[in-house]
Amino acid sequence: MSVMLTGDRPTGPLHLGHYFGSLRERVRLQDDPQVETFVLMADAQAYTDHADQPEQVRKNVLEVMLDYLAVGIDPDKSTIFVQTGVPQIHELAVFLMNLITFGRLEANPTVKQEIRQKKMGDKVPAGFVFYPIHQAADILVVKGEIVPVGEDQRPMIELAADLADRFNRTYDTIFPRPHVVTPAGGRLPGIDGGAKASKTLDNAINLSDSADLVAEKVNAMYTDPGHIRVQDPGRVEGNVVFAYLDAFDPRTEEVVALKAQYQQGGLGDVALKRRLTEVLNDLLEPIRTRRAELATDPHQVMLLLKQGTDRTRDVAENTLEEVRAAMRLDYFTVI
Ligand code: TRP
């Protein structure tokens, strides 16, 4: 039996990048009898760059919960919890802090990129630089091994694996080594052709977008600027429409044929985009319907989150008892 843990910051609605990078894999793994699955709503991590927007984080806890349930994360199979409801995570993070250098934290390529993208300049909150350690604690507190995430999260999971090793060598062997599971085909690009679909860059299709908005976003997608007339040969590499067809169109053989036709000339962007709109709306329509149903009873949705949080806290407390004993901090345990 191994444990899967992954999660998201509740800073906005989830999008197709999340679905491609991780949500799909979570739904698959929750049916694997060999895997216990935990899904985390990283609200404390959201505060590392939204400290002054508590209402936004609070609102998005419900929104992300709706996204989770709507894509098929099933609370009977997966334990869904909120980070701040499990304070053992913070406790473990404080201990892990001493097992890596400040230099290594500062060198984290994903954190550096986020600092640039979010234009933090010289106003980088200390908590933001620290969040990868906190994230390692998210994983280790439930002894997570399998971590389905997008490619940009790889440095975080490698750090968690190193911290697990360091802890095990320094004190006692408690933690398994977590590893990343990323989707084949790398990351999903933004509709503007940017390397990554992202909420911050506002270039993503949200799971909750209406059918019309999906059509509008697909129409705005970056293709090949040199492909002007239908009969012109077009480029497939870097073409966002093909990247999305590769990611989501179940008729893979037809996509292969479409690529060949596009490269040769004779296939227009309009027809191609019409196909993609259909593919995406076929995927999203049942998600939208289910989301709308669930949204009528927010109280029940939050209750499911509470149940998962209570359960995770028990698991986390068991881990912390081991941690405190290994670190010789169990002063008051009756022997
Ligand atoms: N940093 C992740 C993101 O921005 C969210 C996250 C928090 C996470 N804790 C985690 C992912 C633990 C995997 C495991 O998407």
Side-chain angles (χ1 to χ4, degrees):
M1 190 77 170
S2 43
V3 173
M4 179 212 89
L5 178 129
T6 188
D8 306 273
R9 292 180 200 171
T11 52
L14 299 185
H15 53 68
L16 282 176
H18 296 113
Y19 187 78
F20 178 69
S22 168
L23 293 169
R24 200 150 66 164
E25 184 65 9
R26 298 176 203 181
V27 174
R28 200 181 68 74
L29 282 173
Q30 73 182 353
D31 286 321
D32 183 333
Q34 295 307 314
V35 182
E36 179 175 12
T37 47
F38 288 90
V39 176
L40 144 93
M41 187 95 65
D43 60 340
Q45 190 175 114
Y47 269 76
T48 64
D49 65 342
H50 286 69
D52 55 353
Q53 282 145 278
E55 285 309 325
Q56 194 190 330
V57 174
R58 187 185 176 95
K59 174 177 138 283
N60 280 306
V61 167
L62 176 62
E63 294 299 320
V64 171
M65 195 60 194
L66 290 171
D67 285 332
Y68 283 166
L69 299 174
V71 298
I73 296 176
D74 178 348
D76 287 333
K77 299 176 184 166
S78 293
T79 305
I80 312 176
F81 70 100
V82 65
Q83 204 176 24
T84 52
V86 184
Q88 289 83 355
I89 293 171
H90 314 322
E91 184 179 349
L92 180 57
V94 166
F95 298 141
L96 296 178
M97 274 172 91
N98 306 315
L99 301 180
I100 80 155
T101 64
F102 195 63
R104 166 108 189 251
L105 266 192
E106 282 183 311
N108 187 303
T110 300
V111 172
K112 282 185 7 195
Q113 192 192 18
E114 283 177 292
I115 288 173
R116 252 180 280 125
Q117 260 174 17
K118 295 172 200 263
K119 302 192 172 54
M120 288 181 174
D122 58 0
K123 302 255 181 322
V124 184
F128 193 77
V129 186
F130 166 83
Y131 92 69
I133 300 182
H134 205 236
Q135 180 159 341
D138 296 336
I139 301 168
L140 298 183
V141 89
V142 296
K143 301 193 179 179
E145 279 180 85
I146 308 169
V147 190
V149 281
E151 196 53 54
D152 63 312
Q153 294 293 306
R154 185 180 291 280
M156 314 304 177
I157 315 315
E158 283 171 358
L159 176 73
D162 289 351
L163 284 169
D165 281 347
R166 271 302 289 277
F167 187 99
N168 292 344
R169 268 190 279 119
T170 311
Y171 305 112
D172 199 357
T173 305
I174 292 184
F175 298 115
R177 241 182 105 79
H179 64 266
V180 162
V181 179
T182 51
R187 70 182 71 176
L188 193 71
I191 59 172
D192 56 358
K196 166 183 174 189
S198 140
K199 192 162 48 197
T200 315
L201 301 173
D202 193 21
N203 65 0
I205 295 176
N206 296 331
L207 299 177
S208 49
D209 282 350
S210 69
D212 286 348
L213 190 53
V214 170
E216 205 179 292
K217 287 182 177 179
V218 170
N219 277 335
M221 266 182 185
Y222 180 87
T223 56
D224 170 6
H227 183 240
I228 317 240
R229 289 165 307 172
V230 174
Q231 63 270 30
D232 291 340
R235 278 173 57 91
V236 165
E237 307 79 54
N239 188 317
V240 178
V241 180
F242 278 112
Y244 277 63
L245 286 173
D246 280 339
F248 300 113
D249 193 329
R251 294 154 300 176
T252 45
E253 276 160 33
E254 284 181 35
V255 174
V256 172
L258 288 171
K259 283 182 184 170
Q261 200 191 346
Y262 194 82
Q263 281 167 323
Q264 223 175 25
L267 176 59
D269 281 0
V270 175
L272 202 58
K273 285 179 168 175
R274 202 176 301 131
R275 179 187 179 103
L276 179 60
T277 301
E278 254 179 53
V279 166
L280 294 184
N281 278 329
D282 283 351
L283 172 73
L284 293 175
E285 191 47 42
I287 297 176
R288 275 193 289 259
T289 309
R290 191 153 156 64
R291 203 180 191 287
E293 273 166 30
L294 290 158
T296 60
D297 193 353
H299 181 75
Q300 173 59 22
V301 171
M302 290 308 281
L303 194 64
L304 294 171
L305 182 60
K306 181 178 185 305
Q307 286 162 353
T309 304
D310 291 344
R311 163 139 210 283
T312 308
R313 203 165 42 243
D314 290 343
V315 173
E317 182 52 23
N318 284 337
T319 305
L320 261 291
E321 274 169 22
E322 288 180 61
V323 165
R324 292 180 209 115
M327 294 180 71
R328 312 285 292 118
L329 298 167
D330 53 341
Y331 307 111
F332 309 118
T333 306
V334 180
I335 303 163

